Amino acid sequence: MRADVHPFIAAAPDDVEGLARALRDGCIAAADIVAIIGKTEGNGARNDFTRTMATHAFTRLLAGELASSERDVEQGVMLSFSGGSEGVITPHYLVCTKTGTESRSEPATGKRLALAQARTRAFDATETGTIVMVRETAAAVRRALGELHVSPDDVHLVHIKAALPSVVVGTASPPHCTMAYARAASALGVAVALGEVDGDALTDDAIGTRLDLYSRVANVSAKPGLCVSEILVFANSLHWDSPRRIHHAVMRDIIDIEPVRALLAGAGLSTCGQLAPDQTRRIRAIFAKSDADPTHVIRGYRHTMWTDEDFSDMRYSRCVVGGVLAALTGTTAIYVSTRAEHMGPSGGGPVAVIVDDE
Amino acid sequence: MRADVHPFIAAAPDDVEGLARALRDGCIAAADIVAIIGKTEGNGARNDFTRTMATHAFTRLLAGELASSERDVEQGVMLSFSGGSEGVITPHYLVCTKTGTESRSEPATGKRLALAQARTRAFDATETGTIVMVRETAAAVRRALGELHVSPDDVHLVHIKAALPSVVVGTASPPHCTMAYARAASALGVAVALGEVDGDALTDDAIGTRLDLYSRVANVSAKPGLCVSEILVFANSLHWDSPRRIHHAVMRDIIDIEPVRALLAGAGLSTCGQLAPDQTRRIRAIFAKSDADPTHVIRGYRHTMWTDEDFSDMRYSRCVVGGVLAALTGTTAIYVSTRAEHMGPSGGGPVAVIVDDE
Amino acid sequence: MRADVHPFIAAAPDDVEGLARALRDGCIAAADIVAIIGKTEGNGARNDFTRTMATHAFTRLLAGELASSERDVEQGVMLSFSGGSEGVITPHYLVCTKTGTESRSEPATGKRLALAQARTRAFDATETGTIVMVRETAAAVRRALGELHVSPDDVHLVHIKAALPSVVVGTASPPHCTMAYARAASALGVAVALGEVDGDALTDDAIGTRLDLYSRVANVSAKPGLCVSEILVFANSLHWDSPRRIHHAVMRDIIDIEPVRALLAGAGLSTCGQLAPDQTRRIRAIFAKSDADPTHVIRGYRHTMWTDEDFSDMRYSRCVVGGVLAALTGTTAIYVSTRAEHMGPSGGGPVAVIVDDE
Amino acid sequence: MRADVHPFIAAAPDDVEGLARALRDGCIAAADIVAIIGKTEGNGARNDFTRTMATHAFTRLLAGELASSERDVEQGVMLSFSGGSEGVITPHYLVCTKTGTESRSEPATGKRLALAQARTRAFDATETGTIVMVRETAAAVRRALGELHVSPDDVHLVHIKAALPSVVVGTASPPHCTMAYARAASALGVAVALGEVDGDALTDDAIGTRLDLYSRVANVSAKPGLCVSEILVFANSLHWDSPRRIHHAVMRDIIDIEPVRALLAGAGLSTCGQLAPDQTRRIRAIFAKSDADPTHVIRGYRHTMWTDEDFSDMRYSRCVVGGVLAALTGTTAIYVSTRAEHMGPSGGGPVAVIVDDE
């Protein structure tokens, strides 16, 4: 099996031309696509329609290519778009593919990028954001690990589009059926599956409150209306073939570049300062989570991201993390999404980077 | 003579308590203050009243301390507040002081921070933003250099609050009497005074258009209603005493950290990655200019800072530069102001850092 | 011939379900649709993608219904979406239809709503916003009037999606090839066609400057990338059959309700205060243009719509006009678009209302 | 005793020149001022510093005029500034005065404007927003009524700057110690004092939830840091002399102009449509409360004020109410503040108008 990630710059939220050309040219086969993950240029909030626009455009393209229904595309391919390309962040999308059916015979140069999809069972509104969601998410992640034959240490990113089912009209909304709790429970599910957090000791009370319990590799967004959580596990495996590897780090706050420098060093990229252009070219994809520190303080000094009511803290924190990672790596194609409950420590967040072989 | 810069964190735009305490405690003498330069938490645009609020609060404090009129304070002390503390940037202010009257006898450890104020003559609206303003600004900067007995190479920051006189009611506004041209002409004035640009070859046509002509040390904001440009030159001099030195660099774009790393290295600060806490503590002040690249492209990729009409490009670029410099230096007390016509190359901007001796 | 306008409320920018159901139920025949004009919930600025989203969704629906290509739909049906449903304005769309081929035999109760489409020839960038565009627009409007056999006095709304061709890459953009000039020239074209302005005396200099010259019925938006202006003339005609009539008024400023009250009175709607619910139900559609007075003054007092840089004057003026017209009519389904150069007096704008027979 | 309200337009948040001139000219005596209530041009949210700016400027002016300390001014005069002059609303302030000490001998033309100040005792954080605050507010309002010798029916506006004491550092914030509950409890206090709501039956549970219980005349804002609620009662009294009277109405939603028309008619102002200029001149002050309907629906149609995350629902609702009342009255000097818990029905709010005698 061979996994790959293909980055494309988007000229607009519904610009699918890059992928369309790659499909026409035979660089990518539509049937190999397991996920398309992208940043669009909306505000990332409720009135951000750019995510829907992108989803529709890619669904339509793939349905045409695969001669299948749009519904089948939605079932088979994870389409995950995050709004908000603040500051230097360039709107872009990452096409994740899996090719072939057999294991690699001889692992010449070690572990390589491997991908596995998983889906939870459907949740109802009362389960969402609770320990039930933690457990079901953990079970789904474990299934993906089993499929990949990798250990938890080999997992560097678990990207989740978390279920947030609609509440039945006329029914009171359960208190945990919110975007925040859906993200929190999903991230804890990843942490439990990977042994980062002890699942047996975990109770509902911890969800959204015990922020010292976290995953170092979860990257979760919640999608209103979705009943099943969609999961994509990124690992390195001896049994897969790929010209890429994935690495991860955890920032303790949104200007904490040292762990990211260590990540890059681990990938063979010299990072005393900014990567040189030939090194930047080896960066295939960057995933991060951001948050404006809820204490209103970073490095001892007050910040105003929460009190500035003309611009949301979410947009500010993405702008900062995007700028900081761009300054370090030399590329502005950075997938940063906000709200990182149980994903890295409070005020910080995980980073994953996919790097080409030399 | 001894120059110093004292940083204070502000809890609100009119929070002068830090300076008030330093005056009460005798750490700073009111008569020594030549300038207060600060970042406030407004939007940096026309409806940003936080600058006025800060100016009034400091004027009132100093008038009380000096037993002089508020008008005299405004004449004698440069009060320069820039709105916009986006992202991690902390609202803060820098109190610049000059003490003593005699030259230092023996320059033990080389050149030290030196400060000189200057003022242009009053401009009328027809002169503002023209070659007249370039020449008068250059003359004023040269007077400051003469006073300091330093060469142009020793100048690392020229902070200017540029005149932008009100147009007489009922009169058409001259085309160059705008914030953009006032900044541009002032920055070119600095460049001419320091020999960065050939003043003899310069004509009105170049102002605001020949962006390849620029100063590496100018940091100019225009203030509507002001008739005289106020100038503060920061240099290093063998004849001054101070526990600080100033250094400068020029970023080619807003994620260009390598020149800043070189600046820090020149100041004896190891910058493989982020400064360690004991090095961060030696950073006394950071001044920068930012701009969202007008080509809509950074490092080959599209950015959306100009097309996002829910948030201004000015706020975005400050947010990015603040985050990037904080990631490198470990401090969020960064004075970044936007619009950098003829201050560094288009899309980039100058940075100056004041560093404590070890 | 019979004209009609069918209003639908939209739950999202791409919500076409109302029309889809009306087509399924046979209430509307797809072949009869000449235009769909709607308000979407974006910001109305460059990064408003809701307009494109709506256009795509309706194009797709109609292409399916008509078994024609999406390109043919775009050629045959005017799809005109304006972003910005500020305040009480509800996102909605108006489906305009024409049915039958013969004239009405006996005009029982006078003039009835009549619709005629027209298109200009293609413009190039150098013609856009100039007297050429004025003349071609006037010629196209005159053709529509000829088709309808109505006099200029019978025309109450000329809705235009004005051409704004892309500038050839590498070519300097002609100064008049802007949204503002494209709107201005198109509005003057309407005024010339209807005899509101003397076309012979008109020169390029007047476009965008002689704001005392204006149409009382033009409602123009410019669409970047469009080469041909699309025009829809709304008139009342003795020769048409319809259960509706259209009326117009001109507001002198954005709180000027008296002309609108007179309009409603002319339509047989008592308007001492807000319309009673049974009268509100007779309102079929409301079209308006808004502008924040460029003098910064309304009724002698300062307003802050131009100096508030956290929210655009365009959004403010739509919010005000939407609220004011809703308060008068009792409905929030109001199509208000901004920037009204030569459409009503400066700071004001035209209003048109389509009313059902009792 | 004679009460009056003097309106002034403000050119900036700290523009006190209008009042300063009136004091110099002897039109107003500083000692007569009981309150200054104004609209400033901020965003009305946490980072709106324009309110503080105005408060400081007026405190300073009055301290100078009265030769008293600024602290004494703050204790003696209600300074109440509300941020947000959206749309057509002009930034302005209303100086409320009381003159003389004796009752009027002969009530020639009926009841006249009367003013009474009151203050609650200091609240601590645990009492704020609870039934304790309801009762203390009611008691204070009753004291004011006793002082005025008026019945509850004569009260048309109770303007309150509600206490919202700071929580002791290191202590958990009591759940009711919020702006919302402080406003809610204060409004219910007014309702209880005036007999609009049965105080005996009221419990903590009703505060903020039983929105069917409300005052028709309360206009409350909460001020963080304030320990004592400041109250100003506006009534009409046979025993007072004034060239003005006050009237009130309740809007059921933010486009509900009919009750306001009835109010104006009761004041002898013809209001079939907009007031004629000579009638507009008789309007002395307009006070209103606004809210974006929390059901997301107005008159059966969806609005987007809560889902548009680029602009707050508070700013939208003020913009609408300001525009609607300006369209009816012909003036843009309208004091509208947002969040109207228990002030009029949910989604609507009270309006009070002070009108000159003919």
Side-chain angles (χ1 to χ4, degrees):
Chain A
M1 293 291 284
R2 182 189 170 97
D4 211 345
V5 171
H6 310 263
F8 296 92
I9 302 303
D14 60 352
D15 173 23
V16 301
E17 188 48 32
L19 175 57
R21 198 179 317 111
L23 291 168
R24 280 198 304 269
D25 295 352
C27 303
I28 296 176
D32 291 347
I33 298 173
V34 295
I36 303 175
I37 299 172
K39 281 258 68 164
T40 57
E41 56 202 285
N43 64 10
R46 279 182 293 184
N47 65 321
D48 181 350
F49 299 99
T50 60
R51 297 168 297 202
T52 305
M53 225 175 150
T55 302
H56 285 182
F58 283 101
T59 301
R60 200 173 178 189
L61 173 69
L62 293 183
E65 289 288 330
L66 295 166
S68 66
S69 72
E70 296 195 355
R71 185 174 299 249
D72 285 348
V73 169
E74 281 165 20
Q75 293 291 322
V77 179
M78 179 193 237
L79 296 173
S80 177
F81 295 94
S82 162
S85 59
E86 291 82 7
V88 297
I89 299 171
T90 194
H92 68 293
Y93 55 95
L94 303 160
V95 179
C96 305
T97 55
K98 284 198 329 195
T99 320
T101 51
E102 284 173 60
S103 298
R104 189 167 57 168
S105 45
E106 13 175 6
T109 50
K111 296 175 180 174
R112 298 316 189 108
L113 180 66
L115 292 173
Q117 293 163 277
R119 294 166 69 92
T120 62
R121 69 162 169 81
F123 295 109
D124 63 32
T126 60
E127 296 168 331
T128 304
T130 71
I131 196 75
V132 176
M133 194 177 209
V134 174
R135 287 180 194 140
E136 292 293 330
T137 303
V141 172
R142 278 193 207 103
R143 286 196 299 274
L145 263 68
E147 184 189 317
L148 289 175
H149 302 292
V150 295
S151 77
D153 286 354
D154 288 323
V155 176
H156 297 276
L157 173 63
V158 181
H159 187 90
I160 301 186
K161 206 171 142 186
L164 184 58
S166 302
V167 174
V168 176
V169 174
T171 310
S173 185
H176 280 240
C177 190
T178 66
M179 296 185 86
Y181 281 108
R183 283 188 303 261
S186 302
L188 284 173
V190 174
V192 166
L194 300 181
E196 298 173 297
V197 164
D198 176 5
D200 295 335
L202 209 61
T203 63
D204 275 329
D205 292 347
I207 302 170
T209 58
R210 286 286 308 280
L211 299 177
D212 55 311
L213 305 177
Y214 58 80
S215 171
R216 301 172 62 85
V217 298
N219 192 314
V220 185
S221 299
K223 182 155 169 36
L226 196 68
C227 294
V228 167
S229 291
E230 303 177 22
I231 299 168
L232 188 61
V233 173
F234 293 72
N236 290 328
S237 163
L238 279 171
H239 307 285
W240 283 60
D241 188 24
S242 174
R244 337 269 173 225
R245 285 192 189 84
I246 186 165
H247 309 263
H248 82 274
V250 176
M251 295 171 84
R252 285 161 305 151
D253 63 27
I254 58 176
I255 57 171
D256 183 29
I257 55 173
E258 291 303 287
V260 187
R261 284 212 310 129
L263 176 165
L264 295 172
L269 297 170
S270 158
T271 59
C272 211
Q274 189 173 90
L275 296 184
D278 62 324
Q279 292 184 312
T280 296
R281 275 190 291 272
R282 288 180 53 204
I283 302 282
R284 199 74 179 172
I286 303 174
F287 299 86
K289 267 284 176 182
S290 73
D291 255 336
D293 198 293
T295 65
H296 295 222
V297 170
I298 291 176
R299 305 285 168 107
Y301 292 156
R302 181 171 75 106
H303 68 79
T304 60
M305 291 184 270
W306 289 99
T307 49
D308 182 347
E309 308 224 13
D310 301 314
F311 201 61
S312 97
D313 67 283
M314 297 198 293
R315 305 197 75 185
Y316 272 135
S317 74
R318 285 192 298 260
C319 187
V320 169
V321 170
V324 162
L325 294 181
L328 204 57
T329 62
T331 179
T332 63
I334 295 167
Y335 176 94
V336 195
S337 110
T338 314
R339 294 285 184 253
E341 301 89 347
H342 304 295
M343 301 169 232
S346 179
V351 176
V353 183
I354 297 175
V355 180
D356 289 355
D357 279 2
E358 277 164 283
Chain B
M1 292 292 283
R2 181 189 170 99
D4 210 344
V5 171
H6 311 263
F8 297 91
I9 301 302
D14 59 352
D15 174 22
V16 301
E17 187 49 33
L19 175 56
R21 197 178 318 112
L23 292 168
R24 278 198 304 270
D25 295 351
C27 303
I28 296 176
D32 291 348
I33 298 172
V34 295
I36 303 176
I37 299 172
K39 281 259 68 161
T40 57
E41 55 201 286
N43 64 10
R46 278 182 293 182
N47 64 323
D48 181 351
F49 298 99
T50 61
R51 299 167 296 203
T52 305
M53 225 176 150
T55 302
H56 285 181
F58 283 102
T59 302
R60 199 172 178 191
L61 173 68
L62 293 182
E65 289 288 329
L66 295 166
S68 66
S69 73
E70 297 194 356
R71 184 174 299 250
D72 285 349
V73 170
E74 280 164 21
Q75 293 291 323
V77 179
M78 178 193 239
L79 295 172
S80 177
F81 295 94
S82 161
S85 58
E86 291 83 7
V88 297
I89 299 170
T90 195
H92 68 292
Y93 56 93
L94 303 160
V95 178
C96 306
T97 56
K98 285 199 325 196
T99 321
T101 51
E102 283 173 63
S103 298
R104 190 165 56 166
S105 45
E106 13 176 7
T109 50
K111 296 175 179 174
R112 298 316 188 109
L113 180 65
L115 294 173
Q117 294 163 277
R119 295 166 68 92
T120 62
R121 68 160 169 82
F123 295 108
D124 63 32
T126 59
E127 296 168 331
T128 304
T130 71
I131 196 75
V132 176
M133 194 178 209
V134 174
R135 286 179 194 141
E136 292 294 330
T137 304
V141 171
R142 278 193 206 102
R143 285 195 300 274
L145 262 67
E147 185 189 317
L148 289 175
H149 301 293
V150 295
S151 79
D153 287 353
D154 289 322
V155 176
H156 297 275
L157 174 63
V158 181
H159 188 90
I160 301 186
K161 205 170 142 187
L164 184 58
S166 303
V167 175
V168 177
V169 175
T171 312
S173 185
H176 280 241
C177 190
T178 67
M179 295 186 86
Y181 281 109
R183 283 188 303 261
S186 301
L188 283 173
V190 174
V192 165
L194 301 182
E196 299 173 296
V197 164
D198 177 5
D200 296 334
L202 209 61
T203 62
D204 274 329
D205 292 347
I207 301 170
T209 58
R210 286 287 309 277
L211 298 177
D212 57 310
L213 305 177
Y214 58 80
S215 170
R216 301 173 62 85
V217 298
N219 191 315
V220 185
S221 299
K223 184 155 168 35
L226 196 68
C227 294
V228 167
S229 292
E230 302 177 21
I231 299 168
L232 187 63
V233 173
F234 294 71
N236 290 329
S237 163
L238 279 173
H239 306 287
W240 283 60
D241 188 25
S242 174
R244 337 268 172 226
R245 285 191 188 85
I246 186 165
H247 309 264
H248 81 274
V250 176
M251 294 171 83
R252 286 159 306 150
D253 61 29
I254 59 177
I255 57 170
D256 183 27
I257 56 172
E258 292 302 289
V260 186
R261 285 211 312 130
L263 175 165
L264 294 172
L269 298 169
S270 158
T271 60
C272 198
Q274 190 173 88
L275 296 185
D278 62 323
Q279 291 185 314
T280 296
R281 277 191 290 273
R282 289 180 53 202
I283 302 283
R284 200 75 180 170
I286 303 175
F287 300 84
K289 267 285 177 182
S290 74
D291 254 336
D293 198 293
T295 65
H296 295 223
V297 171
I298 291 177
R299 305 286 169 107
Y301 292 155
R302 181 172 74 106
H303 68 81
T304 60
M305 291 185 270
W306 288 99
T307 50
D308 183 347
E309 309 224 11
D310 301 313
F311 201 62
S312 96
D313 67 282
M314 297 197 293
R315 303 199 76 184
Y316 271 135
S317 74
R318 284 193 298 261
C319 187
V320 169
V321 170
V324 162
L325 294 181
L328 203 58
T329 63
T331 180
T332 63
I334 295 167
Y335 177 95
V336 194
S337 111
T338 313
R339 295 284 185 253
E341 302 89 347
H342 304 296
M343 301 168 232
S346 180
V351 176
V353 183
I354 298 176
V355 180
D356 288 355
D357 278 4
E358 278 164 284
Chain C
M1 292 292 283
R2 180 188 171 98
D4 210 344
V5 172
H6 310 264
F8 297 92
I9 301 302
D14 59 352
D15 173 22
V16 301
E17 187 49 32
L19 175 57
R21 197 178 318 113
L23 292 168
R24 279 198 304 270
D25 295 351
C27 302
I28 296 176
D32 291 348
I33 298 173
V34 295
I36 303 176
I37 299 172
K39 281 258 69 162
T40 56
E41 56 201 285
N43 64 9
R46 277 182 294 182
N47 64 322
D48 182 351
F49 299 99
T50 61
R51 299 168 295 204
T52 305
M53 225 176 150
T55 301
H56 285 180
F58 283 102
T59 302
R60 199 173 178 190
L61 173 69
L62 293 183
E65 289 288 329
L66 295 166
S68 66
S69 72
E70 296 193 356
R71 184 173 300 250
D72 285 350
V73 170
E74 281 164 20
Q75 294 290 323
V77 180
M78 178 193 239
L79 295 172
S80 176
F81 295 94
S82 162
S85 58
E86 291 83 7
V88 297
I89 299 170
T90 195
H92 69 292
Y93 56 93
L94 304 160
V95 178
C96 305
T97 56
K98 283 198 328 196
T99 321
T101 51
E102 283 174 62
S103 298
R104 189 166 56 167
S105 46
E106 12 176 8
T109 50
K111 297 174 178 174
R112 298 315 189 110
L113 180 66
L115 293 173
Q117 294 163 277
R119 294 166 68 91
T120 63
R121 68 161 169 83
F123 295 109
D124 64 31
T126 59
E127 295 168 331
T128 303
T130 71
I131 196 75
V132 176
M133 194 178 209
V134 174
R135 286 181 194 139
E136 291 294 330
T137 303
V141 172
R142 278 193 207 102
R143 286 195 299 274
L145 263 67
E147 185 188 317
L148 289 175
H149 301 293
V150 295
S151 78
D153 287 354
D154 289 321
V155 176
H156 296 276
L157 174 63
V158 181
H159 188 90
I160 301 186
K161 206 171 143 186
L164 184 58
S166 303
V167 174
V168 177
V169 175
T171 313
S173 184
H176 280 241
C177 190
T178 67
M179 296 186 86
Y181 281 110
R183 283 189 303 262
S186 301
L188 284 173
V190 175
V192 165
L194 300 181
E196 299 172 297
V197 164
D198 177 6
D200 295 336
L202 209 62
T203 62
D204 274 329
D205 293 347
I207 302 170
T209 58
R210 285 286 309 278
L211 298 177
D212 56 310
L213 305 177
Y214 58 81
S215 170
R216 301 173 62 85
V217 299
N219 191 316
V220 185
S221 299
K223 184 157 169 33
L226 196 68
C227 294
V228 167
S229 292
E230 302 177 21
I231 299 168
L232 187 62
V233 173
F234 293 71
N236 290 328
S237 163
L238 278 173
H239 306 287
W240 283 59
D241 189 23
S242 174
R244 336 268 172 227
R245 283 192 189 84
I246 186 165
H247 309 264
H248 82 273
V250 176
M251 294 171 84
R252 286 158 307 149
D253 61 30
I254 59 177
I255 57 169
D256 183 27
I257 56 172
E258 291 302 290
V260 187
R261 285 212 311 130
L263 175 165
L264 295 172
L269 297 170
S270 157
T271 60
C272 198
Q274 190 173 88
L275 296 185
D278 63 323
Q279 292 185 313
T280 296
R281 277 190 291 273
R282 289 180 53 203
I283 302 283
R284 200 76 180 169
I286 303 174
F287 300 84
K289 267 286 178 183
S290 73
D291 254 337
D293 198 294
T295 65
H296 295 223
V297 171
I298 290 177
R299 305 286 168 107
Y301 292 155
R302 181 171 75 106
H303 68 79
T304 60
M305 291 185 271
W306 289 98
T307 49
D308 183 346
E309 308 223 12
D310 301 313
F311 201 62
S312 97
D313 68 282
M314 297 197 293
R315 303 199 77 184
Y316 271 135
S317 75
R318 284 193 298 260
C319 187
V320 170
V321 169
V324 162
L325 294 181
L328 204 57
T329 62
T331 180
T332 63
I334 295 166
Y335 177 94
V336 194
S337 111
T338 313
R339 295 284 184 254
E341 302 89 347
H342 305 295
M343 302 168 231
S346 180
V351 176
V353 184
I354 297 176
V355 180
D356 288 355
D357 279 3
E358 278 165 283
Chain D
M1 292 292 282
R2 181 190 171 97
D4 211 344
V5 171
H6 311 263
F8 296 92
I9 301 304
D14 59 351
D15 174 22
V16 301
E17 187 49 32
L19 175 57
R21 198 178 317 111
L23 291 169
R24 279 198 304 269
D25 295 351
C27 303
I28 295 176
D32 292 346
I33 298 173
V34 295
I36 303 176
I37 299 172
K39 281 259 69 163
T40 57
E41 56 201 286
N43 64 10
R46 279 182 293 184
N47 64 322
D48 181 349
F49 298 100
T50 60
R51 297 167 297 203
T52 305
M53 225 175 150
T55 301
H56 284 182
F58 282 102
T59 301
R60 199 172 180 190
L61 173 69
L62 293 183
E65 289 288 330
L66 295 166
S68 65
S69 73
E70 296 195 355
R71 185 174 299 250
D72 285 348
V73 169
E74 281 165 20
Q75 293 291 322
V77 179
M78 179 193 236
L79 296 173
S80 177
F81 295 94
S82 162
S85 58
E86 290 83 6
V88 297
I89 299 171
T90 194
H92 69 292
Y93 55 95
L94 303 160
V95 179
C96 305
T97 56
K98 284 199 327 196
T99 321
T101 51
E102 284 173 61
S103 298
R104 190 166 58 168
S105 45
E106 13 177 7
T109 49
K111 295 175 180 175
R112 299 316 189 107
L113 181 66
L115 293 173
Q117 293 163 278
R119 294 166 69 92
T120 62
R121 69 163 168 80
F123 295 109
D124 63 32
T126 60
E127 295 168 330
T128 303
T130 72
I131 196 76
V132 176
M133 195 177 208
V134 174
R135 286 181 194 139
E136 292 293 330
T137 303
V141 172
R142 278 193 207 103
R143 286 195 299 274
L145 262 69
E147 184 188 318
L148 289 175
H149 301 292
V150 295
S151 77
D153 286 354
D154 288 322
V155 176
H156 297 275
L157 174 63
V158 181
H159 188 89
I160 301 186
K161 205 170 143 186
L164 184 58
S166 303
V167 174
V168 176
V169 175
T171 311
S173 184
H176 280 240
C177 190
T178 66
M179 296 185 87
Y181 281 109
R183 283 188 303 260
S186 302
L188 283 174
V190 174
V192 166
L194 301 182
E196 299 172 296
V197 164
D198 177 5
D200 295 334
L202 209 62
T203 63
D204 275 330
D205 293 348
I207 302 170
T209 59
R210 285 286 309 280
L211 299 177
D212 56 310
L213 304 178
Y214 58 79
S215 171
R216 301 172 62 85
V217 299
N219 192 315
V220 185
S221 299
K223 183 155 170 34
L226 197 67
C227 294
V228 167
S229 291
E230 302 176 21
I231 299 168
L232 187 62
V233 173
F234 293 71
N236 290 329
S237 163
L238 279 171
H239 306 285
W240 283 61
D241 188 25
S242 174
R244 337 269 173 225
R245 284 193 189 83
I246 185 164
H247 308 263
H248 83 274
V250 176
M251 295 171 83
R252 285 160 306 151
D253 63 27
I254 59 176
I255 58 171
D256 183 28
I257 55 173
E258 291 303 287
V260 187
R261 283 211 313 128
L263 176 164
L264 295 172
L269 297 170
S270 158
T271 60
C272 210
Q274 189 173 89
L275 296 184
D278 62 324
Q279 293 184 311
T280 297
R281 276 190 290 274
R282 288 181 52 204
I283 302 281
R284 200 74 180 173
I286 302 175
F287 299 84
K289 267 284 176 181
S290 73
D291 255 336
D293 197 293
T295 65
H296 295 223
V297 170
I298 290 177
R299 305 283 168 108
Y301 292 156
R302 181 171 75 106
H303 68 79
T304 60
M305 291 184 270
W306 288 99
T307 49
D308 182 346
E309 308 223 13
D310 301 314
F311 201 60
S312 97
D313 66 283
M314 297 197 294
R315 305 198 75 184
Y316 272 135
S317 74
R318 284 192 298 261
C319 187
V320 169
V321 170
V324 162
L325 294 181
L328 203 57
T329 62
T331 180
T332 63
I334 295 167
Y335 177 93
V336 194
S337 111
T338 313
R339 295 284 185 253
E341 302 89 346
H342 304 295
M343 302 167 231
S346 179
V351 177
V353 184
I354 298 175
V355 180
D356 289 355
D357 279 1
E358 278 164 283

